[in-house]
C-alpha cells in the first residue's frame, strides 16, 4: 500500500520539482515570458516575483502530493488528477508573475533583419537520429514475429508497485504489436514537431538544442513501449521500465538549464501583444509555424497559423488512437 | 572580413513592408554589396525571418526582377544577375530626383535633424556610389 502511494507520488514529485525550477529554465533576457534588461534578474522586484511564484507552486505541490497519496495507483485518471491540478496551479501562478513583470518590459528593437548571403540551413545531424527509434521498433516487431510461438497466450502488461502483475493481455496482433504501433505514432508526432521547429521557424542559436530534446524524448518513449511486448519473452523487472521513464527527466532539466544559461543572441523579436499570458503565441501576420518559447528551451506553436492546428489535430489523433492500439 | 549584407525591415515604419524590402535590396544592389551570381534566400525564408507574408517578399522580388536586378526560378531563391547598364535617364527624370531629394532634406531639417548629419549621410551615399 505504501509502495503504491509512493509510486503514485513520483510523477507529482518530478512535475512539481520541474515547476519550482521554472524561473531557472528561461533564457537570459526573459523573465516569466517578459523580455527584460540583463540586470533585472538581480533586482528586488525579480526576487519578490520568484518568491511569490515558488510559494504558490510549493503549496499546490503539497496539496497534489496529499491527493496522490490517497488515490489508488491502478486508477489512471486518479493518478493524473494531482499532476493536472499542480500544472493548472503553476499556470495561474506563472500568469500572475508575468503580469507583475510586464511593467519592467525592456523596449524591443524595432527592426528585424536577415543575413542575405548566409548558407541555406540544412537539417542538423540530430534530426537524422530521429529515424533510430523507428528502426528500434521495427527490429523489436521482427524479433517478436520470429519468436511468435514462444509468446504465451496470456501475458502481463501492467504491474503494481510491488511488481505483481495487475493488467493482462492476450496473444494477438493488437496485444503484441499494439504498443509498438502506438510508440511509432508518438514518435511520428515528435519528428513532425522537430521538423516544424527547424523548417517552420526563424533561425536561432537554440534551434538545434530544441531538436535534440524532441529526439531524446522520442528514444525514451520508444524504449518504454518496446519493453512492454518484450515482457512476453523475457522476465524484465518492472523497475527497469520505471528507471527508463524517470532517469532521463533530471538529465533533460540539467541540459535545459545548461543551454539557457549559455551566452546566446537576444531572444527572438516577437510582438509582446501577441503573447497571451506569456505562454501562447497568436500572430496572424507572422508566417512561422513555431516560435521560440519564452519559458524553457524549445519552440511553441503560432496558434494563428493553420499548420499549427494541423499539428494539434495530429496530437489529438495520436491520443485518440491510443486505446485502440494499446492492449 | 567584409560584413555580410543584411536586409532590414522596421515593422513599425509607416512605409509598407513591400517597399521597405524592395528599396533596401535595391540599395544593396546599387552599392555593390550584392554582386552578380549571389543567391538570395527563398521567398519563404525571407518572409519567415522578417515576419511578413510570403506574398510581400514575392512582390518585392518581382519588382527587382522587372527592373533587371534579379533572376528568379520557381522553388529557388533569386539570383543577382549582371544588369546591363540602363540607358541614360532623360533630364525630366533627373529633375524629379532633385526635387524629391530637396524635399526629403527639407523634411528632415524641419523634423530637427542637424544639417551636418544629413550631409554626412549624403556623403556616405556618395561613397557607396563611387565603389
Amino acid at each position: 500500500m505504501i509502495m503504491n502511494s509512493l509510486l503514485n507520488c513520483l510523477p507529482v514529485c518530478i512535475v512539481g520539482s520541474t515547476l519550482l525550477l521554472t524561473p531557472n529554465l528561461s533564457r537570459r533576457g526573459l523573465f516569466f515570458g517578459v523580455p527584460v534588461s540583463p540586470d533585472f534578474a538581480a533586482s528586488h522586484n525579480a526576487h519578490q516575483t520568484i518568491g511569490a511564484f515558488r510559494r504558490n507552486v510549493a503549496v499546490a505541490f503539497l496539496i497534489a502530493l496529499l491527493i496522490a497519496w490517497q488515490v489508488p495507483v491502478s486508477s489512471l485518471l486518479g493518478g493524473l488528477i494531482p499532476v493536472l491540478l499542480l500544472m493548472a496551479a503553476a499556470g495561474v501562478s506563472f500568469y500572475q508573475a508575468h503580469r507583475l513583470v510586464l511593467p519592467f518590459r525592456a523596449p524591443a528593437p524595432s527592426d528585424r533583419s536577415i543575413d542575405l548571403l548566409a548558407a541555406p540551413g540544412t537539417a542538423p545531424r540530430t534530426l537524422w537520429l530521429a529515424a533510430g527509434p523507428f528502426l528500434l521498433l521495427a527490429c523489436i516487431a521482427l524479433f517478436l514475429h520470429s519468436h511468435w510461438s514462444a509468446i504465451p497466450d496470456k501475458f502481463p502488461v501492467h504491474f503494481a508497485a510491488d511488481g505483481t502483475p495487475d493488467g493482462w493481455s492476450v496473444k494477438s496482433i493488437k496485444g503484441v504489436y499494439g504498443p509498438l504501433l502506438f510508440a511509432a505514432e508518438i514518435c511520428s508526432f515528435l519528428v513532425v514537431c522537430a521538423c516544424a521547429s527547424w523548417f517552420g521557424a526563424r533561425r536561432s542559436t537554440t534551434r538545434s538544442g530544441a531538436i535534440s530534446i524532441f529526439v531524446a524524448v522520442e528514444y525514451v518513449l520508444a524504449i518504454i513501449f518496446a519493453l512492454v511486448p518484450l515482457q512476453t519473452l523475457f522476465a524484465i523487472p518492472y523497475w527497469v521500465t520505471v528507471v527508463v521513464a524517470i532517469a532521463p527527466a533530471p538529465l533533460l532539466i540539467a541540459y535545459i538549464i545548461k543551454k539557457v544559461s549559455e551566452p546566446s543572441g537576444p531572444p527572438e523579436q516577437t510582438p509582446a501583444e501577441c503573447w497571451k499570458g506569456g505562454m501562447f503565441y497568436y500572430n496572424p501576420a507572422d508566417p512561422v509555424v513555431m516560435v521560440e518559447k519564452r519559458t524553457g528551451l524549445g519552440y511553441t506553436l503560432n496558434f494563428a497559423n493553420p499548420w499549427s492546428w494541423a499539428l494539434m489535430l495530429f496530437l489529438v489523433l495520436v491520443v485518440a488512437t491510443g486505446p485502440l492500439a494499446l492492449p | 572580413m567584409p560584413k555580410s549584407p543584411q536586409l532590414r525591415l522596421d515593422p513599425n515604419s509607416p512605409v509598407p513592408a513591400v517597399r521597405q524590402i524592395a528599396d533596401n535590396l535595391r540599395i544593396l544592389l546599387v552599392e555593390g554589396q550584392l554582386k552578380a551570381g549571389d543567391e538570395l534566400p527563398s521567398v519563404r525564408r525571407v518572409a519567415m525571418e522578417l515576419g511578413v507574408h510570403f506574398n510581400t517578399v514575392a512582390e518585392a522580388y518581382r519588382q527587382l526582377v522587372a527592373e533587371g536586378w534579379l533572376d528568379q526560378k520557381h522553388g529557388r531563391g533569386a539570383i543577382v544577375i549582371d544588369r546591363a547598364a540602363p540607358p541614360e535617364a532623360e533630364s525630366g527624370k533627373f529633375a524629379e530626383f532633385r526635387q524629391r531629394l530637396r524635399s526629403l532634406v527639407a523634411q528632415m531639417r524641419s523634423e530637427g535633424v542637424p544639417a551636418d548629419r544629413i550631409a554626412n549621410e549624403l556623403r556616405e551615399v556618395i561613397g557607396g556610389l563611387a565603389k
Side-chain angles (χ1 to χ4, degrees):
Chain A
M1 177 64 194
I2 289 176
M3 272 302 284
N4 276 349
S5 297
L6 280 175
L7 198 66
N8 227 11
C9 290
L10 204 58
V12 177
C13 287
I14 293 170
V15 174
S17 318
T18 311
L19 290 172
L20 283 170
L21 282 171
T22 302
N24 303 80
L25 299 176
S26 282
R27 284 182 65 190
R28 288 177 181 187
L30 287 172
F31 200 81
F32 286 101
V34 181
V36 290
S37 61
D39 51 348
F40 178 77
S43 69
H44 176 67
N45 284 310
H47 289 300
Q48 262 193 330
T49 311
I50 290 178
F53 172 80
R54 288 210 167 121
R55 269 193 302 279
N56 291 342
V57 172
V59 171
F61 191 178
L62 282 175
I63 294 170
L65 274 177
L66 284 173
I67 297 171
W69 189 265
Q70 301 296 328
V71 173
V73 76
S74 55
S75 154
L76 177 66
L77 192 63
L80 274 178
I81 282 172
V83 175
L84 292 176
L85 279 176
L86 178 54
M87 288 172 73
V92 173
S93 304
F94 183 93
Y95 180 65
Q96 285 173 338
H98 173 80
R99 295 282 301 265
L100 286 173
V101 181
L102 270 179
F104 305 99
R105 188 169 69 199
S110 62
D111 64 342
R112 296 188 184 132
S113 65
I114 173 173
D115 186 341
L116 287 170
L117 297 183
T122 49
R125 236 173 273 166
T126 38
L127 200 51
W128 297 111
L129 288 176
F134 293 98
L135 201 64
L136 172 79
L137 294 169
C139 288
I140 302 280
L142 280 174
F143 179 78
L144 290 167
H145 179 70
S146 60
H147 292 76
W148 186 260
S149 54
I151 297 173
D153 290 335
K154 195 179 173 197
F155 53 88
V157 288
H158 196 271
F159 298 84
D162 59 1
T164 50
D166 60 359
W168 297 83
S169 184
V170 290
K171 184 178 173 178
S172 65
I173 299 289
K174 181 189 168 189
V176 175
Y177 298 118
L180 300 178
L181 186 67
F182 185 58
E185 283 181 38
I186 301 176
C187 289
S188 306
F189 175 72
L190 291 169
V191 170
V192 171
C193 286
C195 289
S197 61
W198 187 263
F199 297 106
R202 280 180 272 275
R203 291 178 183 193
S204 87
T205 48
T206 59
R207 232 169 21 152
S208 54
I211 287 175
S212 304
I213 292 174
F214 277 122
V215 174
V217 172
E218 202 196 338
Y219 272 91
V220 171
L221 288 172
I223 293 169
I224 291 171
F225 281 99
L227 286 172
V228 176
L230 283 178
Q231 295 276 1
T232 59
L233 296 171
F234 305 102
I236 301 171
Y238 81 104
W239 57 262
V240 173
T241 312
V242 177
V243 168
V244 170
I246 291 168
L251 294 175
L252 191 66
I253 293 167
Y255 176 76
I256 294 174
I257 291 177
K258 178 178 169 286
K259 277 283 181 189
V260 297
S261 55
E262 278 173 2
S264 61
E268 186 177 1
Q269 296 308 325
T270 40
E273 63 277 10
C274 296
W275 284 95
K276 312 299 175 197
M279 289 178 273
F280 304 104
Y281 185 69
Y282 184 91
N283 186 358
D286 197 342
V288 292
V289 182
M290 284 189 153
V291 287
E292 270 187 311
K293 280 194 324 193
R294 287 199 159 181
T295 310
L297 179 73
Y299 282 77
T300 185
L301 294 168
N302 173 12
F303 286 96
N305 190 308
W307 285 108
S308 301
W309 290 100
L311 260 175
M312 295 294 288
L313 183 67
F314 189 2
L315 178 63
V316 169
L317 284 175
V318 169
V319 174
T321 53
L324 299 174
L326 293 173
Chain B
M1 195 176 157
K3 208 180 156 202
S4 181
Q6 302 274 322
L7 175 62
R8 293 188 187 282
L9 176 97
D10 181 358
N12 302 322
S13 165
V15 180
V18 64
R19 209 177 121 196
Q20 285 190 60
I21 295 169
D23 287 353
N24 289 342
L25 276 173
R26 202 179 290 108
I27 290 169
L28 295 170
L29 289 159
V30 169
E31 290 183 349
Q33 293 191 51
L34 288 172
K35 295 181 180 62
D38 284 347
E39 190 172 345
L40 301 187
S42 67
V43 165
R44 189 175 155 276
R45 177 49 55 192
V46 175
M48 286 205 297
E49 295 295 331
L50 299 181
V52 294
H53 199 275
F54 302 126
N55 291 345
T56 306
V57 182
E59 176 55 32
Y61 272 21
R62 266 198 296 274
Q63 283 181 21
L64 294 165
V65 168
E67 290 173 22
W69 288 107
L70 303 178
D71 180 26
Q72 205 176 8
K73 296 220 164 39
H74 185 71
R76 290 184 61 194
I79 294 172
V80 179
I81 51 175
D82 208 356
R83 188 178 183 239
E88 199 170 323
E90 70 234 40
S91 59
K93 201 85 179 162
F94 193 78
E96 185 197 331
F97 161 71
R98 178 185 285 174
Q99 181 57 38
R100 276 171 67 186
L101 187 63
R102 288 168 74 112
S103 150
L104 198 60
V105 170
Q107 188 191 339
M108 296 307 281
R109 291 217 55 191
S110 72
E111 285 174 13
V113 180
D116 55 344
R117 200 166 155 201
I118 296 171
N120 280 343
E121 197 64 37
L122 288 173
R123 266 193 289 276
E124 216 169 281
V125 173
I126 293 163
L129 286 175
K131 275 180 194 168

